[in-house]
Amino acid sequence: GESVGLHLPTLSVQEGDNSIINCAYSNSASDYFIWYKQESGKGPQFIIDIRSNMDKRQGQRVTVLLNKTVKHLSLQIAATQPGDSAVYFCAEILSGNTPLVFGKGTRLSVIA
Amino acid sequence: DAGVTQSPTHLIKTRGQQVTLRCSPKSGHDTVSWYQQALGQGPQFIFQYYEEEERQRGNFPDRFSGHQFPNYSSELNVNALLLGDSALYLCASSKGISDTQYFGPGTRLTVL
C-alpha cells in the first residue's frame, strides 16, 4: 500500500492567510521528500524538497517542516494567494534510487 | 531553457488498440520516468529510463513498455488497451536517477 498519505483531502483558506498542508509517511527509512503543486490540466510542479537530515527548509513564501519522530511532513504557504489554488502532493523516496511515491493530494482553495 | 515536453496532449483510443506517448526531457537531463495519474489520485510510478535502459519498474503489467533514445527522449507504449488505462500519463525528467524530477504537462488518454 501507499506509505505516503495526507490528513485532509481539501483545505479552504482566505486570501492573505497562511496555509498549512500536512502529510504523514509510514517508512522511517524514507530520506527525501518533495512537495509538488498541480494545477488543473497541468503536470505537477516542483515546490520545495527536504532531506531527512534536516527538519526545516524555507523557500519563497513556502516552508517545509519534517518531524521524523512522528513521521510527519508539512508545507506552509505564507500570505496565500488565489494563484496558490491547486492540488498539493507530497512525495517520498524511500531510500537510494527507489522511485517517487506520491500521496493522494490535498486540494487548496483560496477564497478571495 | 525548454522544460519537459510531451505529445500528444490528448488522445482517444478504443479497447484493444495500442498507443505510443512521447516525452522530451528538460535540457541537461538524461533520465526519464513515466507515471500514470488516475482522476483524483496521485501519480503512480510506471518505469524509469537511464542510458537507454529500463532501470526501475513499478507494479504495471507487461502491456506497458518503453524506450529511451540516444538524445534522452522517451516513448511509452501501451498494448491491448483497457478502459482502466484511461488516465493522465506524466513524464518526468531528472539529471541522474536520484535527482529531483521535473514533470511535463502530461498526455490525457481516454479509452472507449
Side-chain angles (χ1 to χ4, degrees):
Chain A
E2 289 182 342
S3 65
V4 175
L6 294 168
H7 294 309
L8 297 172
T10 60
L11 178 66
S12 295
V13 297
Q14 291 285 341
E15 182 179 358
D17 287 352
N18 296 334
S19 302
I20 300 177
I21 302 171
N22 296 303
C23 178
Y25 64 96
S26 59
N27 195 322
S28 58
S30 297
D31 63 7
Y32 182 47
F33 305 88
I34 308 169
W35 281 100
Y36 286 95
K37 170 187 179 183
Q38 187 173 25
E39 298 174 272
S40 181
K42 297 184 179 180
Q45 175 189 355
F46 173 87
I47 302 173
I48 192 168
D49 58 1
I50 190 168
R51 297 208 175 266
S52 59
N53 61 351
M54 304 173 69
D55 53 19
K56 180 179 180 179
R57 190 160 188 226
Q58 288 185 291
Q60 187 176 13
R61 284 201 306 120
V62 294
T63 300
V64 56
L65 299 177
L66 175 62
N67 186 329
K68 293 182 286 293
T69 302
V70 295
K71 291 182 281 190
H72 182 268
L73 190 71
S74 69
L75 176 69
Q76 300 179 1
I77 304 174
T80 312
Q81 302 169 0
D84 295 328
S85 294
V87 176
Y88 289 80
F89 292 98
C90 64
E92 155 188 32
I93 289 181
L94 298 180
S95 61
N97 296 330
T98 55
L100 279 172
V101 176
F102 282 82
K104 288 187 174 63
T106 292
R107 180 173 298 281
L108 175 65
S109 296
V110 181
I111 304 166
Chain B
D1 180 21
V4 180
T5 61
Q6 292 186 243
S7 64
T9 54
H10 295 86
L11 203 52
I12 299 175
K13 292 285 188 179
T14 57
R15 281 181 298 173
Q17 285 189 311
Q18 178 265 345
V19 68
T20 298
L21 310 181
R22 295 176 176 82
C23 171
S24 291
K26 184 177 167 69
S27 178
H29 288 186
D30 57 8
T31 303
V32 172
S33 302
W34 286 93
Y35 294 80
Q36 180 194 69
Q37 186 177 24
L39 201 60
Q41 302 292 317
Q44 298 290 312
F45 175 75
I46 303 174
F47 42 53
Q48 181 184 67
Y49 277 85
Y50 172 70
E51 292 187 335
E52 300 179 51
E53 290 187 10
E54 183 182 293
R55 299 291 176 169
Q56 299 183 71
R57 189 179 181 92
N59 188 25
F60 279 81
D62 292 344
R63 297 187 297 109
F64 289 77
S65 63
H67 188 78
Q68 185 179 34
F69 299 94
N71 67 352
Y72 309 120
S73 66
S74 177
E75 288 182 349
L76 163 67
N77 300 292
V78 186
N79 294 323
L81 284 166
L82 304 173
L83 296 179
D85 295 331
S86 294
L88 181 67
Y89 287 85
L90 294 162
C91 168
S93 73
S94 56
K95 194 171 185 178
I97 292 175
S98 54
D99 201 7
T100 302
Q101 295 182 26
Y102 294 86
F103 285 81
T107 294
R108 171 70 63 187
L109 173 65
T110 301
V111 182
L112 302 177

